Amino acid sequence: MKKHNLLKTIGIVFLIFVILSWIIPVASFSSGELTKGTIKPVGLIDLVYYPLITMATFIQYGIIILAIGGFYGVVNKTGVYSKLVDYLVKLAKKNEKRFLVIVISVLSLLASLTGLPWALFIAVPLLITVILSLGFSKLTAIASTVGAILVGMAGSTYGMSSGYSLYFLSLGVHTDILAKFVLLIILTFLLIMFVLSRTKKEVIETTSEEKTEGTKKGSKKTTATEKKTSEKVKVEKPLYEEKAGNKKSFWPLMIVIDLTILILLVGTYNWYLTFKMTYFTDLYNSLSEIAIGDIPILSNILGSSLTPLGYWGSYETALIIVIASLLLGWIYNIKFDEILSSFGEGAKKVLKPALLVILANVIFTIMINAQTGNIAITITNYITGLSEGVNVFATTLASAFGSFFFNDFYYLLTNVMGPIQAAWTDVEFYSVLAIVFQSVHGLMLLFLPTSMILLAGLSLCDISYKDWLKYIWKFLIQVLAVILIVALILSMLV
C-alpha cells in the first residue's frame, strides 16, 4: 500500500464520513429556519456508488491535471526545457534560499489576489524541478509551491474566497482589507521562515557530496546514523528531464507559460463578484452582436459554448492549456503527430495525480447530492449553540468542520453560513466572520486529504500523506494561532 498511500488516505477519510453518517442526523436550513431530519447512513452499495458518481461529476479537475501533464510533455519535446531549468538554477545558485523566498512570496500574493490555484499550478512542475535541482528536498519543493498557493488562499484579500464571503455577508469589497493584507504578510512570513528553517540540512555543496561518496566506497556496511544522514542530503530527481544540446531559445517557452497563466487568471477570475465590473461581459455581448444580416458571425465561428472572460471554468482552463501546447509545438517546429504523442506521454505520467484529484471530492459528492439535508448543518448548529452570541473559537470550529465536508469554499458558505447568521445576528461581527472562515478553510486545505491541489502536488512528487503531516504540522499550529489572534483583535475593535 506504500505505492498507493494517498489513495488509501482518501479511503480512510471516506470511511470516517461513513461512520459519521450512521451517528449524526441530517438537517436542512431554509428561510432562516433549521429543520432537523433523521439519520441518513451511507450503505454498502453507496461505498461503490459514490466513488463512481464522483468520477463522473468531478472529472473536469482530472482533465486539468492531464492537460498540464500533456503540456509538459510537449515542453520536453521542444528540447529547451533543460535550458530553461539550467538558466533558472544558475540565477539562483549561491542564492538558493532567496529563490525560495521569491517563489513563496509571488505565489502567495497571486493566490491571495485571485484565489485561482489551478491557473497557478501550471508553473508548479517547473518550479519544483528548479527547486529540486538546487538540492532541496521534495517536501521543501511542495511547501514552497503548493503550500504557498494555499497560504495565499488562507490570506485571501481580493481572491475568490474573499469575494464569496463578501457576497454572502453583504460586505464591501474593501472591508477590513488592511487586516487581510496584514494576515497575508504574517502567514507568508511564517511559511518562509518555516521552510528556510527546514532547509539547513538540504542544500548540498558539491564538494561535501563528493567527500561523502568517497568515504562510502571503501565501506560495505553503513550504520543507522550514516544512513539517516545520507537520506537527508540526497538530491531529488527532477520531475521531467530531457537532453540539452540544441541552439533553440527557451524564451518563447517562458513567454508561453507566463501568457497562459495570465490569460487563465483574467478569464477565470469573477470580476463582477468582487468588483462589480461588467467590462468583459459588455465586450462579449458587443462582439456577439456583430452579424451579417441576421447571422451572428463570431458566435457561429467560435461556438455557443464560449463564455465571457471572468466566467471561465475547469473545461475552459483545460482548453487554454491544450491551445498553449499546440502553440508551443508550432513555435518550435514540432510535427503535429509528435505534438500529439508528446502530449499523450506527458498526460500518462500524471494519470495517478488526476485520479486522486477526482476522488478527493468523494465526500463533497455525497454532500451536494443530499436531498433532505446534511450532517454539516447539524454540526454547525451544535457548534453555534455552544456559546451565547458571537464567538471567534466557535466560528473557527464551524469553518474547520465544514471544510472537512466541503473542499469548495462557495458550497461551504452555502451550507454553513445560514445557521451561523441565524444564531449570531450581530452584523458588525460579519467582517471578522468572513476573515475567519476563509483563513481557516485555507488552513484546512493545507493538510486535509480532500484538498485537490495538495493531493496533486504530493502525488507529483511521490510524497506520502504521513510524511507531509510530519513535515507541516508545526506550521499548521502557528497559522491557527495567528488566525485566532488576528480574529480576536478585530472582534475587540468592532
Side-chain angles (χ1 to χ4, degrees):
M1 290 302 294
K2 289 183 179 181
K3 295 182 179 180
H4 307 287
N5 177 272
L6 295 175
L7 182 61
K8 179 181 177 182
T9 303
I10 294 175
I12 292 173
V13 172
F14 178 43
L15 291 178
I16 291 174
F17 176 84
V18 171
I19 294 172
L20 292 177
S21 71
W22 282 83
I23 300 173
I24 305 174
V26 302
S28 60
F29 192 87
S30 180
S31 302
E33 293 185 2
L34 180 78
T35 303
K36 296 182 179 180
T38 59
I39 292 177
K40 299 290 183 180
V42 176
L44 293 176
I45 300 299
D46 297 330
L47 295 177
V48 179
Y49 175 79
Y50 280 117
L52 293 177
I53 292 296
T54 302
M55 295 286 290
T57 305
F58 293 100
I59 191 174
Q60 66 268 27
Y61 296 111
I63 291 176
I64 292 177
I65 298 297
L66 292 177
I68 293 175
F71 175 77
Y72 275 92
V74 178
V75 167
N76 285 330
K77 190 65 178 179
T78 62
V80 299
Y81 186 53
S82 64
K83 281 188 174 183
L84 175 57
V85 172
D86 291 341
Y87 174 77
L88 295 175
V89 169
K90 185 177 180 180
L91 286 179
K93 209 65 178 176
K94 296 184 180 179
N95 293 290
E96 292 91 349
K97 293 186 177 182
R98 183 180 299 177
F99 178 78
L100 291 181
V101 172
I102 294 173
V103 170
I104 293 172
S105 301
V106 171
L107 289 178
S108 177
L109 178 61
L110 289 176
S112 174
L113 294 174
T114 65
L116 302 171
W118 294 120
L120 299 175
F121 196 80
I122 296 173
V124 168
L126 170 61
L127 293 173
I128 287 178
T129 304
V130 175
I131 293 172
L132 296 182
S133 299
L134 287 170
F136 295 107
S137 72
K138 292 179 180 179
L139 286 167
T140 295
I142 291 299
S144 302
T145 53
V146 173
I149 293 173
L150 292 174
V151 162
M153 294 180 68
S156 179
T157 51
Y158 293 107
M160 297 301 295
S161 296
S162 181
Y164 290 139
S165 299
L166 300 176
Y167 172 77
F168 275 91
L169 296 171
S170 302
L171 300 172
V173 63
H174 302 298
T175 301
D176 281 338
I177 191 62
L178 179 59
K180 292 178 181 178
F181 271 110
V182 169
L183 179 61
L184 171 66
I185 292 172
I186 295 174
L187 296 184
T188 304
F189 176 76
L190 285 177
L191 179 61
I192 290 172
M193 297 307 296
F194 176 80
V195 170
L196 294 183
S197 68
R198 301 297 298 269
T199 60
K200 292 180 180 179
K201 297 181 181 180
E202 292 177 359
V203 180
I204 306 165
E205 297 294 339
T206 305
T207 54
S208 63
E209 184 182 15
E210 290 175 351
K211 289 180 181 179
T212 304
E213 291 178 354
T215 303
K216 288 183 178 180
K217 284 182 180 179
S219 175
K220 293 183 180 180
K221 295 183 179 181
T222 304
T223 64
T225 304
E226 290 172 338
K227 184 177 181 181
K228 188 175 182 181
T229 304
S230 174
E231 290 174 352
K232 285 184 179 180
V233 299
K234 181 182 178 183
V235 179
E236 303 290 0
K237 186 178 180 180
L239 292 176
Y240 296 91
E241 292 182 336
E242 45 83 14
K243 296 181 180 180
N246 61 74
K247 297 181 180 180
K248 297 178 181 178
S249 172
F250 61 78
W251 285 110
L253 168 60
M254 195 66 182
I255 292 172
V256 169
I257 292 176
D258 292 339
L259 282 178
T260 302
I261 295 174
L262 178 61
I263 291 172
L264 287 176
L265 290 178
V266 174
T268 55
Y269 183 84
N270 193 320
W271 298 94
Y272 181 78
L273 176 68
T274 305
F275 297 105
K276 306 302 177 186
M277 184 187 297
T278 61
Y279 173 77
F280 292 118
T281 304
D282 295 338
L283 177 63
Y284 172 83
N285 293 332
S286 299
L287 294 175
S288 299
E289 292 173 358
I290 298 176
I292 298 178
D294 296 329
I295 302 176
I297 302 301
L298 290 179
S299 297
N300 287 350
I301 293 176
L302 298 178
S304 58
S305 300
L306 179 67
T307 55
L309 291 172
Y311 294 92
W312 290 1
S314 302
Y315 291 112
E316 286 86 354
T317 298
L319 176 61
I320 293 299
I321 297 173
V322 171
I323 293 174
S325 303
L326 295 173
L327 178 61
L328 268 182
W330 175 73
I331 292 174
Y332 286 99
N333 297 317
I334 304 174
K335 295 180 180 180
F336 184 71
D337 289 343
E338 293 179 342
I339 294 175
L340 293 181
S341 60
S342 300
F343 189 92
E345 290 173 3
K348 287 179 182 178
K349 291 182 179 180
V350 294
L351 279 174
K352 182 179 178 181
L355 176 62
L356 292 171
V357 164
I358 297 173
L359 291 178
N361 295 281
V362 63
I363 296 177
F364 184 34
T365 300
I366 300 175
M367 301 301 286
I368 62 176
N369 280 279
Q371 298 179 352
T372 58
N374 58 67
I375 62 178
I377 297 177
T378 304
I379 294 174
T380 304
N381 183 63
Y382 174 77
I383 291 174
T384 56
L386 293 176
S387 61
E388 295 182 3
V390 178
N391 186 292
V392 170
F393 297 100
T395 306
T396 300
L397 284 175
S399 180
F401 279 100
S403 298
F404 173 82
F405 301 107
F406 299 98
N407 56 10
D408 187 296
F409 191 63
Y410 174 83
Y411 284 91
L412 170 64
L413 294 178
T414 301
N415 286 268
V416 173
M417 194 56 71
I420 292 177
Q421 287 179 291
W424 301 333
T425 56
D426 188 354
V427 179
E428 294 182 350
F429 184 77
Y430 281 2
S431 60
V432 182
L433 187 66
I435 292 178
V436 171
F437 253 78
Q438 68 189 35
S439 57
V440 173
H441 179 70
L443 167 64
M444 299 299 288
L445 293 183
L446 268 167
F447 77 95
L448 281 177
T450 53
S451 174
M452 291 185 286
I453 187 171
L454 175 62
L455 288 186
L458 295 180
S459 182
L460 276 178
C461 285
D462 195 23
I463 298 174
S464 71
Y465 183 69
K466 179 181 178 181
D467 288 341
W468 174 250
L469 286 185
K470 288 171 62 178
Y471 174 85
I472 202 69
W473 71 270
K474 290 182 180 179
F475 174 70
L476 298 177
I477 295 176
Q478 294 172 9
V479 172
L480 178 60
V482 169
I483 292 173
L484 290 174
I485 292 172
V486 171
L488 286 171
I489 294 174
L490 290 176
S491 63
M492 289 187 291
L493 297 175
V494 171

